[in-house]
Amino acid sequence: MLETVQSPKDLRHFSINELAELAAEIRRKIIETTATTGGHIGASLGAVELTLALHRVYDTPEDKLVWDIGHQAYAHKLVTGRVAQFAELRQLGGISGFLKRRESPYDVWEAGHGGTALAGALGMAAARDLQGGQRQVVAVVGDGALTSGMAWEALNQIGHLRTAMVVVVNDNSMSIAPNVGAISRYLTELRSAPAYTRLKQDVESLLEAVPLVGESLRRRVERLKDLIRYVVLPQNVFENLGFQYFGPVDGHDLPALINVLGNAREIHAPVAVHVITQKGRGYLPAEAQPERFHGPGPFDIASGRIRKGKEAPSYSQVAADTLLQLAQSRPEVVAITAAMGEGTKLDRFAEVFPQRFYDVGMAEQHAATFAAGLAAAGMRPVFAVYSTFLQRACDQIIHDICHQNLPVTLAIDRAGLVGADGATHQGIYDISLLRPIPHLEIAMGKDESELRSLLAAALDRPGPVAVRYPRGSGRGLALSEEIPSLAWGKAEWIRQGRQLTLVALGPIVYTALEAATALEAMGFSIGVVNARFVKPLDKETLSEVSRHTEAMLTLEEHSEAGGFGSAVLEWAASEGIGIPVRIAGLPDSFIDQGPPAHYLAQFELDRDGIVRRVTTWLQAARERA
Ligand SMILES: Cc1ncc(C[n+]2csc(CCOP(=O)(O)OP(=O)(O)O)c2C)c(N)n1
């Protein structure tokens, strides 16, 4: 059947039984594909019926369907003409794991980060109102994303503008891990009152039957009715904010969904539809282990075993182990995550020190300021956050952490290219965003051993520190029990080279060493510096290097604009060091999904690329001379 669905318009002719059959087929497709490609299987399996019901009831793409994050939208991709491309999900040159406006007219909104759908959808509704249109706007937001401040800022304005739009709360009580916080608890309470809508209708019709006699009596009776409503009915936050609330409705019951969405469609005011779904629905391993199956890599369908090579421990694991080790002897150390406990590997820390671990939900802005508060009161908070999600907390880092010079450690995970998640998730802007902030020190080690040393040293610094580390496994170094100490602010001048010195930040130092060896075999004299610090930049070592080499090339897996190389250029220009300095990093463009190695080769940041850059440069210089 799936092959016959050219567009969602086809769904409008299907019977309920046919839709149910299609749902099963879509599930099979999602399972089979993600078993090979990896991807967000759990959320997507949970939203299959919801997707079919939405496209059936609404006249998409004229009606606007806005998905929060977009990771749950694989069924949406499949019914909007992307069956043939689905095998290439998240692959280089294939379709994105999220939604892309250029991929389909049905993808009216792009995301990857959580909490943006309500604001985006409200913008579309407001534009419609200004333009005099009639089209519906529907936003689908998860209970996890509903813990983000942005979602509440939007609810606030939706309730104020009172324009027609539907907010579907896709509530599976999971973020990546089980959802936490008072909002999550509130949704659970709302869920366990399934008779709410009926009870409300009963109370309303009962009150309606009360006769109103005389003006003053009428007012008194109205007040009494309000009081009865208040006492009898549980409070509903959506209604209190100005929404009409429908639900909770079983998100796997197609007729119920179609019915409730059909009703919502007729209302010309804000509507909240509370839909209960199950993450991983229809694939037992994903139902049983929703956290592991949020976004696994390739897996074996029959056993549900996620395929993993024998890789060295990840940088995240080493960072989390180090924090745990440091926390044993330092009671002031606390760890914070914004819904990424598993990804940042802080789950063990949470087990050992449950009182000193905080999962604040998908709320990076809050996490940063919360950390500032902890630090202001004498604690040593470590906020472990992916580079890409840290972007959301920029002002909080500037205004709350750094302006007050508070000793918060930002453990910046996934710094660099991230692979299959693509453009919205690349960790390649944080240096540019953080570098201008006074007080903040920024460091990145060349391997997992230096990561440990930097984290340990960061916890002794008087002010805020950002320690970056990449996605994926470390080099598999044997790590001593004792964390080696490291001179703060000092670069490591690894090898001397007369003609050119590669000044590298992060694991690309090892690539630089390989390139230097290859270049030496070609007759060039090439040095290598492991910079370690972006801020403070080790100007002393760089000045010394500049007196022993004829040129410098900086290397980083980060945007060139404002990155580490820029810091070196600023130093070189302001001190007039007198030798040419060039920078090599990532270009000023968004980088889609695909293996980091592919892009490193494309942008000449792999060994051969560096060799090519250096030989071209030095040969051109020789010809000029
Ligand atoms: C701002 C931001 N922080 C963190 C993440 C990482 N992340 C991706 S999906 C997810 C959980 C989403 O939960 P929910 O919105 O309930 O959707 P579900 O996957 O349960 O359907 C998280 C935390 C993100 N995408 N955006």
Side-chain angles (χ1 to χ4, degrees):
M1 274 174 94
L2 188 51
E3 311 290 329
T4 68
V5 179
Q6 297 300 321
S7 89
K9 307 220 177 336
D10 299 330
L11 303 179
R12 292 162 207 158
H13 313 297
F14 286 178
S15 69
I16 292 292
N17 282 344
E18 286 170 327
L19 282 178
E21 218 176 285
L22 180 65
E25 215 177 296
I26 288 174
R27 283 208 163 83
R28 277 198 298 280
K29 189 77 168 176
I30 292 174
I31 296 164
E32 279 164 20
T33 305
T34 52
T36 311
T37 62
H40 290 105
I41 172 173
S44 282
L45 287 178
V48 174
E49 286 83 6
L50 178 59
T51 306
L52 295 181
L54 282 164
H55 278 295
R56 160 112 163 184
V57 170
Y58 288 94
D59 185 18
T60 52
E62 280 73 29
D63 288 342
K64 305 295 173 215
L65 180 51
V66 180
W67 296 92
D68 200 83
I69 305 177
H71 67 309
Q72 74 290 62
Y74 293 174
H76 165 89
K77 283 182 185 260
L78 288 169
V79 298
T80 53
R82 280 169 275 184
V83 176
Q85 296 101 303
F86 202 62
E88 297 297 310
L89 184 72
R90 292 160 55 87
Q91 308 301 297
L92 181 70
I95 58 172
S96 166
F98 300 93
L99 299 182
K100 284 270 176 284
R101 288 160 63 96
R102 67 164 188 272
E103 246 180 47
S104 164
Y106 292 89
D107 294 6
V108 297
W109 184 252
E110 292 186 12
H113 290 194
T116 66
L118 303 193
L122 179 60
M124 292 179 200
R128 170 203 61 201
D129 296 344
L130 290 171
Q131 294 155 0
Q134 296 297 321
R135 287 311 186 163
Q136 301 283 337
V137 180
V138 183
V140 183
V141 61
D143 56 297
L146 211 54
T147 60
S148 70
M150 274 202 77
W152 288 88
E153 291 169 35
L155 286 173
N156 179 51
Q157 198 193 356
I158 298 168
H160 174 64
L161 291 182
R162 291 186 183 272
T163 188
M165 74 175 264
V166 176
V167 172
V168 175
V169 179
N170 174 16
D171 179 4
N172 52 27
S173 68
M174 295 288 295
S175 188
I176 291 178
N179 202 4
V180 289
I183 293 170
S184 169
R185 194 172 60 227
Y186 173 75
L187 287 175
T188 308
E189 279 164 21
L190 213 54
R191 216 169 30 230
S192 51
Y196 175 76
T197 307
R198 224 184 36 243
L199 175 67
K200 186 165 170 290
Q201 279 159 0
D202 289 351
V203 172
E204 288 300 338
S205 48
L206 230 132
L207 293 177
E208 216 116 281
V210 177
L212 299 172
V213 196
E215 186 50 25
S216 86
L217 195 61
R218 197 185 68 80
R219 261 185 277 123
R220 259 186 270 166
V221 173
E222 280 297 355
R223 271 210 300 277
L224 190 66
K225 281 184 180 181
D226 283 346
L227 191 65
I228 292 171
R229 276 192 202 97
Y230 185 78
V231 173
V232 173
L233 293 173
Q235 287 297 294
N236 182 301
V237 75
F238 296 103
E239 289 187 336
N240 292 348
L241 290 176
F243 287 74
Q244 294 205 30
Y245 172 86
F246 289 88
V249 54
D250 178 350
H252 304 297
D253 180 339
L254 273 164
L257 278 173
I258 291 170
N259 182 37
V260 77
L261 290 171
N263 290 339
R265 203 198 142 122
E266 299 311 314
I267 293 168
H268 297 288
V271 177
V273 181
H274 187 183
V275 177
I276 308 306
T277 59
Q278 181 186 19
K279 218 158 173 172
R281 175 83 168 198
Y283 180 52
L284 286 177
E287 288 182 9
Q289 296 174 284
E291 190 166 348
R292 293 196 71 212
F293 276 88
H294 172 80
F299 57 92
D300 176 62
I301 297 179
S303 65
R305 201 176 44 78
I306 296 167
R307 297 184 210 278
K308 277 224 164 89
K310 279 209 170 43
E311 288 163 352
S314 65
Y315 281 96
S316 312
Q317 189 66 61
V318 173
D321 290 348
T322 307
L323 291 179
L324 183 57
Q325 185 179 348
L326 294 165
Q328 307 277 4
S329 57
R330 300 187 55 171
E332 73 281 16
V333 172
V334 296
I336 302 168
T337 179
M340 301 304 289
E342 221 259 348
T344 55
K345 301 288 175 212
L346 280 175
D347 25 18
R348 178 99 185 94
F349 189 108
E351 268 168 43
V352 179
F353 296 116
Q355 308 294 332
R356 287 156 62 187
F357 169 79
Y358 301 93
D359 178 354
V360 302
M362 219 194 282
E364 292 79 8
Q365 298 154 300
H366 164 74
T369 304
F370 173 61
L374 280 158
M379 304 302 284
R380 295 291 317 212
V382 179
F383 176 25
V385 57
Y386 288 14
S387 165
T388 187
F389 302 136
L390 167 138
Q391 287 164 203
R392 189 158 282 182
C394 276
D395 183 56
Q396 286 74 8
I397 293 171
I398 297 174
H399 176 268
D400 302 321
I401 297 176
C402 296
H403 180 245
Q404 303 190 76
N405 198 14
L406 292 167
V408 172
T409 300
L410 301 169
I412 306 182
D413 199 329
R414 291 352 184 232
L417 294 166
V418 296
D421 278 338
T424 52
H425 283 61
Q426 306 288 16
I428 57 177
Y429 310 111
D430 61 276
I431 296 179
S432 320
L433 295 170
L434 298 179
R435 214 161 58 77
I437 311 177
H439 297 313
L440 183 64
E441 299 179 307
I442 309 168
M444 184 179 205
K446 69 178 185 295
D447 53 37
E448 66 268 44
S449 175
E450 290 194 355
L451 166 61
R452 292 174 87 211
S453 304
L454 287 170
L455 279 174
L459 287 176
D460 286 327
R461 300 299 300 163
V465 180
V467 178
R468 312 174 78 234
Y469 46 97
R471 179 179 188 277
S473 35
R475 300 187 63 82
L477 303 178
L479 302 173
S480 55
E481 171 60 26
E482 200 177 320
I483 301 173
S485 65
L486 177 152
W488 193 257
K490 287 313 283 177
E492 181 192 19
W493 191 357
I494 302 178
R495 60 179 274 171
Q496 298 215 2
R498 188 176 42 78
Q499 284 173 289
L500 181 141
T501 298
L502 299 165
V503 183
L505 180 76
I508 202 170
V509 164
Y510 285 96
T511 324
L513 284 167
E514 286 172 29
T517 306
L519 285 160
E520 191 153 272
M522 295 161 76
F524 295 102
S525 168
I526 306 295
V528 175
V529 171
N530 165 24
R532 279 193 194 135
F533 291 87
V534 179
K535 201 178 171 184
L537 194 64
D538 182 0
K539 297 177 184 173
E540 211 175 72
T541 301
L542 289 181
S543 297
E544 185 63 17
V545 171
S546 73
R547 287 191 280 275
H548 293 84
T549 198
E550 289 162 17
M552 278 188 193
L553 174 65
T554 69
L555 298 169
E556 67 195 299
E557 194 177 314
H558 183 280
S559 171
E560 281 181 356
F564 164 69
S566 293
V568 175
L569 283 180
E570 286 162 19
W571 157 79
S574 64
E575 306 223 339
I577 61 155
I579 60 165
V581 180
R582 289 191 182 179
I583 64 173
L586 296 167
D588 183 14
S589 60
F590 286 107
I591 298 174
D592 281 330
Q593 74 272 7
H598 166 84
Y599 289 111
L600 291 175
Q602 178 176 339
F603 300 123
E604 297 194 308
L605 291 168
D606 64 344
R607 190 198 66 158
D608 293 351
I610 296 169
V611 167
R612 235 177 1 258
R613 279 177 189 265
V614 172
T615 49
T616 317
W617 186 11
L618 294 187
Q619 268 153 14
R622 190 180 299 159
E623 276 157 29
R624 268 202 309 277

